[in-house]
Amino acid sequence: GEDVEQSLFLSVREGDSSVINCTYTDSSSTYLYWYKQEPGAGLQLLTYIFSNMDMKQDQRLTVLLNKKDKHLSLRIADTQTGDSAIYFCAESTDTGFQKLVFGTGTRLLVSP
Amino acid sequence: NAGVMQNPRHLVRRRGQEARLRCSPMKGHSHVYWYRQLPEEGLKFMVYLQKENIIDESGMPKERFSAEFPKEGPSILRIQQVVRGDSAAYFCASSPRSDEQFFGPGTRLTVL
C-alpha cells in the first residue's frame, strides 16, 4: 500500500540550512511534492520533482530524490523565521489523475 | 484570478446535525478534490470530482458523507449526522486538468 513517512519536528537557527526528509513506499510514484502549510492556512505547493529526476533546485530550495531507497529530501538554504511552518511531502501515481498521498508533516521551527 | 475559495472557514456543529462545506474552484478549473486532515496528521484524499461527475470516491467513508460538483455553483461536501470523530480540517483543491492541484484555505469543522 501507499505510505509516506516524515520526521515530526525540526528546529534550526536563522541562517542555517534545513533538511527535511521523507520516505515513501510506492515504487510507481510519478511525482513527488513538497507543500508548506502555515498556521490556519491551506497548503502551498513549494516544488515538485518527477520520478525520473534525482535533483531539482529552485532558488533556496533543493530537492533530492533517491529512487532506489525511496527517499526524498528538501533542503532550505539560509532558513528564515518566515520559513517556520509544517512541510508535507506527498507522492502521486498517475491513475488517470494525480491522487496525492501525504506524509504526516514536519514542523519546522526557525529561531532567531 | 482569485484562488480556491472555501466557506465557511470555521463550522461548529452538534452531534447529529448536518455539515455542508463549500468549495469554489479557481476560474477555469473543472476538477475538484476534497481532502481531510485530522489533528496532527497529514491530508487524506477523500474524493475527486469533475463537473457533474464523481470520478473517484475511494477515500470517502461509506456512510453519512457525500460530495457533488454541479454544473453551476460550488462543489459541496455534505456530512450527515456528524459525530465527534468528524472534527477535522477539510481542504478542497482544484486543477484545470488532472494535474497540479491548488488548495483552498480549508474549513475547520468542530463537532460538539
Side-chain angles (χ1 to χ4, degrees):
Chain A
E2 304 156 334
D3 196 17
V4 180
E5 295 192 356
Q6 302 177 237
S7 52
L8 290 179
F9 188 75
L10 177 66
S11 179
V12 300
R13 288 196 175 277
E14 194 172 20
D16 288 351
S17 290
S18 307
V19 180
I20 302 171
N21 295 300
C22 170
T23 57
Y24 60 99
T25 57
D26 189 348
S27 58
S28 61
S29 295
T30 313
Y31 289 94
L32 295 125
Y33 305 81
W34 284 103
Y35 284 86
K36 177 183 180 183
Q37 184 183 35
E38 294 182 88
L43 273 70
Q44 174 195 355
L45 178 64
L46 289 177
T47 187
Y48 65 93
I49 189 167
F50 190 53
S51 59
N52 69 354
M53 298 169 65
D54 51 22
M55 187 183 107
K56 180 177 180 181
Q57 186 152 4
D58 185 359
Q59 299 183 335
R60 291 191 297 125
L61 305 178
T62 303
V63 178
L64 295 176
L65 174 61
N66 181 330
K67 198 171 180 183
K68 175 175 167 288
D69 294 339
K70 299 191 185 68
H71 182 266
L72 183 74
S73 68
L74 174 70
R75 179 177 179 270
I76 307 173
D78 186 25
T79 315
Q80 303 297 306
T81 54
D83 294 325
S84 293
I86 301 175
Y87 290 80
F88 290 96
C89 163
E91 57 96 14
S92 71
T93 307
D94 192 352
T95 56
F97 70 100
Q98 297 297 330
K99 182 177 177 181
L100 296 174
V101 177
F102 285 86
T104 50
T106 298
R107 187 178 296 272
L108 174 64
L109 178 63
V110 183
S111 52
Chain B
N1 189 3
V4 177
M5 298 175 68
Q6 291 188 248
N7 68 81
R9 294 293 307 277
H10 299 274
L11 182 61
V12 179
R13 284 287 177 267
R14 295 193 179 279
R15 281 178 296 169
Q17 292 184 319
E18 179 179 286
R20 278 184 180 243
L21 289 63
R22 293 175 191 78
C23 169
S24 297
M26 290 177 69
K27 188 176 180 181
H29 288 195
S30 59
H31 301 246
V32 165
Y33 314 77
W34 285 94
Y35 294 83
R36 177 165 65 175
Q37 184 182 30
L38 294 170
E40 306 300 321
E41 293 188 13
L43 280 71
K44 296 283 193 286
F45 168 80
M46 298 181 76
V47 62
Y48 162 50
L49 310 102
Q50 294 180 24
K51 283 284 186 183
E52 299 185 276
N53 287 305
I54 297 173
I55 307 301
D56 186 325
E57 56 181 347
S58 57
M60 287 275 272
K62 293 287 184 285
E63 296 176 351
R64 301 187 298 107
F65 285 71
S66 62
E68 63 177 16
F69 188 18
K71 189 176 179 182
E72 302 290 337
S75 175
I76 307 284
L77 179 67
R78 183 177 174 216
I79 312 172
Q80 295 178 289
Q81 298 170 0
V82 295
V83 301
R84 289 222 174 101
D86 297 332
S87 294
Y90 292 82
F91 290 94
C92 164
S94 73
S95 64
R97 297 164 297 278
S98 54
D99 53 10
E100 183 183 345
Q101 297 173 30
F102 296 82
F103 282 80
T107 293
R108 280 151 183 85
L109 172 65
T110 302
V111 180
L112 301 177

